[in-house]
Amino acid sequence: MAKQMGLMGLGCFIFMMVALQINGASATTYVVGDSLGWTVPPNTSFYTEWSSSKTFHIGDKVLFNWTGNHNVAEVSSLAEYENCVNPGIVIGSPVTANLLENGSRFFICTVDDHCEAGQKVIITVGSPTNTSSTASPAPSPSSASSLSFGVIFTVLSSVVAYFFA
Ligand SMILES: *[C@@H]1O[C@H](CO)[C@@H](O)[C@H](O)[C@H]1NC(C)=O
Ligand SMILES: *[C@@H]1O[C@H](CO)[C@@H](O)[C@H](O)[C@H]1NC(C)=O
Ligand SMILES: *[C@@H]1O[C@H](CO)[C@@H](O)[C@H](O)[C@H]1NC(C)=O
Ligand SMILES: *[C@@H]1O[C@H](CO)[C@@H](O)[C@H](O)[C@H]1NC(C)=O
Ligand SMILES: [Cu+2]
């Protein structure tokens, strides 16, 4: 009995380790703009370049860090983002957006003309949003997850086989 409990513990442990690997144990917090932070950028493509240099995953967070007179507002569409439409609601500071699902989130600063000057960013999780006619094709689904599921099944079958042997 003790031996069986031990085995069960081991099985659960292995299962959890593999499951963690699937979910990507390394959830990352990204500081928007890195060392520049959240401010009026040196050029209007700054945050677009910053964002496209990252690959965001479900479970990651983005942190807006600023000093001085800025804010963060989330708008609901690419059109509102492009037109710097002020939603009338700002998110309190410090602002951390939790990326809980695939898709694009649109963030702007509504102070003065900061948004028009490029203080806005699109955070896309999963397949890229069609933000231009030159939108790159979605990355093909990686074989990594199916591989990991294969590992889970192998491990589980081994544990089960051990029990019934
Ligand atoms: C925008 O500014 C950043 C930081 O100074 C620079 O690295 C980048 O090349 C600039 N992009 C353009 C299109 O000028
Ligand atoms: C936020 O910005 C300040 C400087 O403006 C910097 O000292 C601090 O480390 C930043 N915080 C994070 C979490 O990056
Ligand atoms: C999110 O998108 C990625 C890449 O497109 C995909 O592999 C994954 O299955 C998606 N997850 C969900 C929950 O839709
Ligand atoms: C992507 O955007 C371009 C230009 O905005 C548009 O012509 C095209 O139909 C869009 N493609 C998809 C798949 O939405
Ligand atoms: Cu601002």
Side-chain angles (χ1 to χ4, degrees):
M1 192 58 189
K3 184 187 168 204
Q4 283 204 344
M5 296 301 282
L7 272 177
M8 191 144 28
L10 179 68
C12 286
F13 178 73
I14 293 174
F15 178 82
M16 275 160 49
M17 293 308 286
V18 177
L20 270 178
Q21 227 170 343
I22 282 190
N23 288 334
S26 53
T28 308
T29 298
Y30 295 94
V31 178
V32 175
D34 292 325
S35 57
L36 183 71
W38 182 239
T39 187
V40 176
N43 56 57
T44 52
S45 53
F46 180 85
Y47 287 110
T48 306
E49 288 169 18
W50 177 84
S51 183
S52 58
S53 75
K54 314 289 184 219
T55 305
F56 302 103
H57 296 104
I58 292 175
D60 288 346
K61 299 171 198 287
V62 289
L63 170 67
F64 293 84
N65 185 27
W66 72 88
T67 55
N69 193 17
H70 299 289
N71 64 26
V72 180
E74 183 166 10
V75 296
S76 53
S77 70
L78 179 61
E80 290 177 352
Y81 170 88
E82 283 175 339
N83 295 313
C84 292
V85 174
N86 185 345
I89 302 169
V90 297
I91 312 175
S93 170
V95 173
T96 304
N98 299 317
L99 308 176
L100 299 178
E101 55 189 25
N102 278 346
S104 293
R105 309 265 302 266
F106 308 93
F107 299 97
I108 68 174
C109 174
T110 66
V111 173
D112 299 336
D113 62 350
H114 294 186
C115 177
E116 287 80 358
Q119 192 179 5
K120 53 179 177 175
V121 68
I122 303 177
I123 307 289
T124 297
V125 182
S127 316
T129 315
N130 184 11
T131 52
S132 74
S133 46
T134 59
S136 52
S140 60
S142 114
S143 59
S145 59
S146 45
L147 183 73
S148 300
F149 280 115
V151 171
I152 275 203
F153 276 113
T154 311
V155 169
L156 278 188
S157 341
S158 318
V159 171
V160 169
Y162 205 122
F163 268 113
F164 288 92

